[in-house]
Amino acid sequence: MLTAYKIYTKLLSAYGPPEWWSDDPFTVIFQAVLVQNTAWENVVMTTEAMGGIPSPGAILAMAEEELQSLIRPCGFFRAKARTIRSLAAWWDGIRGDESSLSTEELRKQLLSIKGVGEETADVILVYALHRPSFIIDAYTRRMFSRFGFQFRSDPEIRSFLDEGLEADAGLYGSYHWLVLEHCKAVCRKKPRCAECGLRTICPSRVQ
Ligand code: SF4
């Protein structure tokens, strides 16, 4: 039987250990908004052109139009600038005290910020705050569906993963990164099964 952990070990042997995101929480928060609906390459290019990520204080001191102009290459720049400013204020307010807040409370606070959906909230929880809150996106849904799981909702996927994995943010972060690598490399909308390192365990493989 395919378990959440077995799939993880197969992904790990196919793609190797993942790179972790930045060690700076606000860098992750900032880039998690920038990457919405755009390619990661645009985020890297924009961040480099900015000469690095401004601190939350610098963001809040900046005119919103200036921030919009800096992040324009990533698209949806007005909405993203507003969300980044809200997150800068949120992070400035809780920084240093975040360890006293439960994961559920942090998630609730993040989801109350306009422009932060479930996926962005979980990216921030895992990669910035090191909380085990699995990131479920289109790639995650596609991969598990191809492995034969018939989940009816994201909460069902979440329960399957939470029950099958140790509650460890490092593991959750690695898993998500490996799912992205796998779905971008071979498990695409039109899958490249002949090149897939997980084909022996996949019931959807195309010969
Ligand atoms: S065998 Fe094909 S469908 Fe299955 S995981 Fe690999 S690429 Fe995806």
Side-chain angles (χ1 to χ4, degrees):
M1 190 182 92
L2 268 184
T3 63
Y5 192 70
K6 179 165 183 188
I7 294 169
Y8 173 74
T9 58
K10 292 282 182 189
L11 287 166
L12 194 58
S13 37
Y15 300 99
E19 298 161 25
W20 194 252
W21 208 327
S22 168
D23 287 335
D24 172 48
F26 192 66
T27 295
V28 176
I29 291 169
F30 190 98
Q31 292 183 324
V33 177
L34 280 198
V35 80
Q36 293 172 345
N37 302 303
T38 195
W40 177 248
E41 291 70 26
N42 289 335
V43 174
V44 173
M45 190 185 67
T46 301
T47 307
E48 281 174 4
M50 289 170 65
I53 308 286
S55 67
I59 298 269
L60 294 170
M62 193 183 283
E64 193 156 321
E65 293 72 21
E66 188 185 347
L67 180 59
Q68 289 175 2
S69 150
L70 289 169
I71 65 170
R72 196 180 182 108
C74 289
F76 301 97
F77 56 92
R78 289 191 188 88
K80 287 182 182 179
R82 198 169 47 234
T83 304
I84 287 169
R85 281 175 62 82
S86 300
L87 281 164
W90 171 77
W91 180 239
D92 223 22
I94 68 154
R95 183 169 42 179
D97 294 328
E98 71 276 13
S99 58
S100 65
L101 298 171
S102 69
T103 302
E104 290 68 29
E105 176 58 25
L106 288 165
R107 196 166 194 273
K108 200 167 114 194
Q109 290 185 11
L110 284 164
L111 289 172
S112 72
I113 294 170
K114 193 170 180 192
V116 178
E118 305 235 348
E119 188 181 327
T120 302
D122 290 326
V123 166
I124 293 171
L125 286 168
V126 171
Y127 293 111
L129 305 179
H130 302 149
R131 302 297 181 104
S133 188
F134 206 93
I135 303 153
I136 298 168
D137 58 10
Y139 292 131
T140 316
R141 292 181 203 104
R142 182 198 299 164
M143 189 193 77
F144 283 113
S145 156
R146 294 243 167 102
F147 282 134
F149 294 94
Q150 294 177 342
F151 297 118
R152 285 163 301 180
S153 64
D154 288 354
E156 277 194 16
I157 302 178
R158 188 178 295 284
S159 300
F160 168 74
L161 292 161
D162 285 345
E163 284 161 20
L165 301 171
E166 193 184 330
D168 176 289
L171 172 60
Y172 279 33
S174 297
Y175 208 138
H176 176 67
W177 184 90
L178 290 163
V179 172
L180 292 190
E181 286 298 295
H182 177 63
C183 289
K184 285 196 282 185
V186 291
C187 204
R188 300 174 172 196
K189 280 186 185 159
K190 187 173 178 195
R192 297 179 171 181
C193 302
E195 301 162 35
C196 178
L198 284 79
R199 64 199 316 273
T200 54
I201 61 162
C202 180
S204 306
R205 66 183 174 273
V206 178
Q207 297 304 325

Tab-separated table of all heavy atoms in Angstrom, residues 1 47 50 52 82 94 111 116 120 128 131 160 163 180 185 193 204:
chain	number	residue	atom	x	y	z
A	1	MET	N	0.835	-1.198	0.000
A	1	MET	CA	0.000	0.000	0.000
A	1	MET	C	0.877	1.259	0.000
A	1	MET	O	1.894	1.305	0.678
A	1	MET	CB	-0.873	-0.020	1.255
A	1	MET	CG	-1.951	1.034	1.249
A	1	MET	SD	-2.918	1.005	2.781
A	1	MET	CE	-2.036	2.175	3.771
A	47	THR	N	13.604	40.385	-7.045
A	47	THR	CA	14.297	40.547	-5.765
A	47	THR	C	15.733	41.025	-5.988
A	47	THR	O	16.226	41.886	-5.267
A	47	THR	CB	14.290	39.204	-5.002
A	47	THR	OG1	12.958	38.735	-4.906
A	47	THR	CG2	14.836	39.358	-3.612
A	50	MET	N	15.848	44.621	-6.874
A	50	MET	CA	15.588	45.477	-5.702
A	50	MET	C	16.810	45.566	-4.794
A	50	MET	O	16.840	46.358	-3.858
A	50	MET	CB	14.423	44.891	-4.886
A	50	MET	CG	13.076	45.022	-5.560
A	50	MET	SD	11.813	44.059	-4.687
A	50	MET	CE	11.753	44.910	-3.129
A	52	GLY	N	17.692	43.138	-2.791
A	52	GLY	CA	17.352	42.404	-1.557
A	52	GLY	C	15.968	42.791	-1.079
A	52	GLY	O	15.324	43.683	-1.641
A	82	ARG	N	-0.373	45.688	-1.639
A	82	ARG	CA	-1.263	45.861	-0.485
A	82	ARG	C	-1.088	44.682	0.485
A	82	ARG	O	-0.988	44.858	1.695
A	82	ARG	CB	-2.708	45.947	-0.998
A	82	ARG	CG	-3.689	46.537	-0.006
A	82	ARG	CD	-5.029	46.836	-0.643
A	82	ARG	NE	-5.511	45.715	-1.452
A	82	ARG	CZ	-5.872	45.821	-2.734
A	82	ARG	NH1	-5.801	46.964	-3.349
A	82	ARG	NH2	-6.298	44.749	-3.390
A	94	ILE	N	3.963	40.750	15.509
A	94	ILE	CA	4.070	39.499	16.291
A	94	ILE	C	5.506	39.000	16.440
A	94	ILE	O	5.767	38.100	17.216
A	94	ILE	CB	3.206	38.359	15.708
A	94	ILE	CG1	3.755	37.897	14.350
A	94	ILE	CG2	1.753	38.702	15.622
A	94	ILE	CD1	3.378	36.463	14.064
A	111	LEU	N	-4.871	33.999	7.377
A	111	LEU	CA	-6.007	33.913	6.457
A	111	LEU	C	-6.930	35.127	6.565
A	111	LEU	O	-7.731	35.378	5.671
A	111	LEU	CB	-6.799	32.622	6.713
A	111	LEU	CG	-6.080	31.345	6.268
A	111	LEU	CD1	-6.841	30.098	6.726
A	111	LEU	CD2	-5.912	31.306	4.742
A	116	VAL	N	-4.096	36.747	1.219
A	116	VAL	CA	-3.442	35.522	1.719
A	116	VAL	C	-4.471	34.392	1.718
A	116	VAL	O	-5.407	34.386	2.520
A	116	VAL	CB	-2.874	35.716	3.146
A	116	VAL	CG1	-2.257	34.410	3.649
A	116	VAL	CG2	-1.844	36.831	3.169
A	120	THR	N	-0.824	30.263	0.367
A	120	THR	CA	0.180	31.229	0.834
A	120	THR	C	0.342	31.143	2.352
A	120	THR	O	1.470	31.210	2.872
A	120	THR	CB	-0.214	32.660	0.408
A	120	THR	OG1	-0.342	32.679	-1.014
A	120	THR	CG2	0.818	33.687	0.837
A	128	ALA	N	8.569	29.988	6.682
A	128	ALA	CA	8.998	31.151	7.476
A	128	ALA	C	8.927	30.860	8.973
A	128	ALA	O	9.820	31.247	9.725
A	128	ALA	CB	8.130	32.369	7.146
A	131	ARG	N	6.370	25.671	10.963
A	131	ARG	CA	5.241	24.932	11.541
A	131	ARG	C	4.792	23.858	10.545
A	131	ARG	O	4.754	24.115	9.332
A	131	ARG	CB	4.045	25.860	11.824
A	131	ARG	CG	4.342	27.010	12.760
A	131	ARG	CD	4.739	26.527	14.128
A	131	ARG	NE	4.988	27.637	15.005
A	131	ARG	CZ	4.141	28.048	15.953
A	131	ARG	NH1	2.992	27.418	16.126
A	131	ARG	NH2	4.457	29.070	16.728
A	160	PHE	N	-4.744	12.848	5.424
A	160	PHE	CA	-3.919	11.714	4.991
A	160	PHE	C	-2.445	11.996	5.296
A	160	PHE	O	-1.716	11.137	5.817
A	160	PHE	CB	-4.138	11.506	3.487
A	160	PHE	CG	-3.154	10.571	2.838
A	160	PHE	CD1	-3.228	9.194	3.044
A	160	PHE	CD2	-2.148	11.063	2.013
A	160	PHE	CE1	-2.305	8.338	2.437
A	160	PHE	CE2	-1.234	10.211	1.405
A	160	PHE	CZ	-1.305	8.846	1.617
A	163	GLU	N	-1.718	12.321	9.166
A	163	GLU	CA	-1.737	11.018	9.854
A	163	GLU	C	-0.544	10.145	9.461
A	163	GLU	O	-0.106	9.302	10.227
A	163	GLU	CB	-3.047	10.281	9.540
A	163	GLU	CG	-4.219	10.850	10.308
A	163	GLU	CD	-5.572	10.475	9.712
A	163	GLU	OE1	-5.636	9.492	8.949
A	163	GLU	OE2	-6.548	11.187	10.024
A	180	LEU	N	6.762	19.670	-6.137
A	180	LEU	CA	6.930	20.673	-7.206
A	180	LEU	C	7.933	20.179	-8.250
A	180	LEU	O	7.672	20.262	-9.456
A	180	LEU	CB	7.461	22.006	-6.652
A	180	LEU	CG	6.570	22.833	-5.747
A	180	LEU	CD1	7.190	24.205	-5.507
A	180	LEU	CD2	5.193	23.003	-6.350
A	185	ALA	N	8.955	18.392	-13.546
A	185	ALA	CA	9.873	17.605	-14.375
A	185	ALA	C	9.130	16.574	-15.236
A	185	ALA	O	9.318	16.524	-16.449
A	185	ALA	CB	10.896	16.893	-13.496
A	193	CYS	N	5.819	9.722	-18.456
A	193	CYS	CA	5.986	8.544	-17.601
A	193	CYS	C	7.269	7.763	-17.911
A	193	CYS	O	7.868	7.176	-17.007
A	193	CYS	CB	4.763	7.649	-17.709
A	193	CYS	SG	3.242	8.512	-17.265
A	204	SER	N	-1.080	5.082	-12.672
A	204	SER	CA	-1.503	5.871	-13.847
A	204	SER	C	-0.447	5.918	-14.929
A	204	SER	O	-0.620	6.641	-15.911
A	204	SER	CB	-1.819	7.316	-13.414
A	204	SER	OG	-2.743	7.339	-12.391
